[in-house]
Amino acid sequence: MDNSSGVGVIDKAAQVLDALEAGPTTLAQLVAATGLARPTVHRLALALVHHRLVSRDIQGRFVLGSRLVELASAAGEDRLIASAGPVLMQLRDATGESAQIFRRQGDWRVCVASAERPIGLRDTIPVGTQLSMKAGSAAQVLLAWEDHDRLLEGLQSARFTPTVLAGVRRRGWGQSLGEREPGVASVSAPVRGPSGRVIAAVSISGPIERLTRQPGRLHAEVVCNAGRLLTEALRKNSD
């Protein structure tokens, strides 16, 4: 598909912003992701920083800027969150477990939507909760499709291994047993943006006693289906 608008500088700036959708990015990673010349990428990135469409993190990497949040707020409801409610409730009802959506924000993953199990023992994760990117099936999913450098960085001090992430990529879903919290199991699947990048993880979580020591065998299919429904909703909304 040709994404060219015919206005070169806008198209190139859009390529830079698309590349930043996955998270903090070095200049070298931006060059590799966009295929543009290094001086061009550097000049565009600094211009976008000037307009607060891009920012820099504490390590000097480029990240999406605060102006985008302001513009998104002005445009109306966040598309992912707007689509999330019915999908999460359906997922909760199908599995009997609490369901969540996580997005990566720097070194954390943040719960942006949830549907709690109404009664009984449950894993409660309120919207806005920040959790580690070093443990849990949602962290696995958010990291598994990153480029090589980010993958290596994310694996430092992580509770999961490169072999685990290879399995996530192969199967299309992740599972965890007591990684984030003792006694808690989870299953997660990717949600992809219109560009095909993994932008979020949809998850269920609950006690190992209910989910068993092979939670993916029980619930991977329905969790992956929820990820596909959210991905399709984002694509429709972007058309």
Side-chain angles (χ1 to χ4, degrees), residues 82-104:
S83 305
V87 175
L88 286 183
M89 286 189 286
Q90 184 180 1
L91 181 58
R92 177 199 63 194
D93 293 346
T95 62
E97 303 297 344
S98 299
Q100 309 91 25
I101 294 175
F102 292 96
R103 273 181 169 156
R104 183 172 184 176

Side-chain angles (χ1 to χ4, degrees), residues 10-169:
I10 298 296
D11 292 339
K12 290 171 183 173
Q15 283 182 266
V16 171
L17 293 172
D18 284 345
L20 294 176
E21 187 179 1
T25 306
T26 65
L27 180 60
Q29 289 169 337
L30 271 182
V31 171
T34 61
L36 300 172
R38 186 183 181 93
T40 300
V41 173
H42 191 237
R43 187 172 66 252
L44 283 170
L46 291 182
L48 291 166
V49 168
H50 176 77
H51 289 287
R52 294 195 299 119
L53 295 167
V54 169
S55 186
R56 307 289 283 269
D57 70 7
I58 196 168
Q59 297 175 38
R61 297 172 300 182
F62 293 101
V63 296
L64 292 174
S66 58
R67 182 62 182 146
L68 291 173
V69 177
E70 296 165 4
L71 290 170
S73 177
E77 283 187 291
D78 178 287
R79 287 171 179 164
L80 176 60
I81 295 171
S83 305
V87 175
L88 286 183
M89 286 189 286
Q90 184 180 1
L91 181 58
R92 177 199 63 194
D93 293 346
T95 62
E97 303 297 344
S98 299
Q100 309 91 25
I101 294 175
F102 292 96
R103 273 181 169 156
R104 183 172 184 176
Q105 290 185 7
D107 295 329
W108 301 93
R109 55 183 170 103
V110 179
C111 179
V112 296
S114 69
E116 295 289 353
R117 188 174 194 266
I119 57 171
L121 189 62
R122 60 187 180 268
D123 183 34
T124 301
I125 303 175
V127 171
T129 300
Q130 286 188 326
L131 298 175
S132 171
M133 276 294 296
K134 302 297 185 181
S137 63
Q140 295 170 17
V141 165
L142 291 170
L143 187 60
W145 283 273
E146 292 279 28
D147 64 38
H148 182 68
D149 289 345
R150 278 211 200 95
L151 205 62
L152 291 180
E153 182 183 335
L155 282 165
Q156 293 176 13
S157 304
R159 298 283 303 276
F160 42 78
T161 65
T163 303
V164 167
L165 295 189
V168 172
R169 289 191 297 273

Side-chain angles (χ1 to χ4, degrees), residues 208-222:
I208 292 175
E209 287 82 357
R210 270 202 315 266
L211 273 76
T212 77
R213 299 198 69 83
Q214 292 184 307
R217 178 175 289 181
L218 286 178
H219 298 304
E221 184 176 355
V222 69

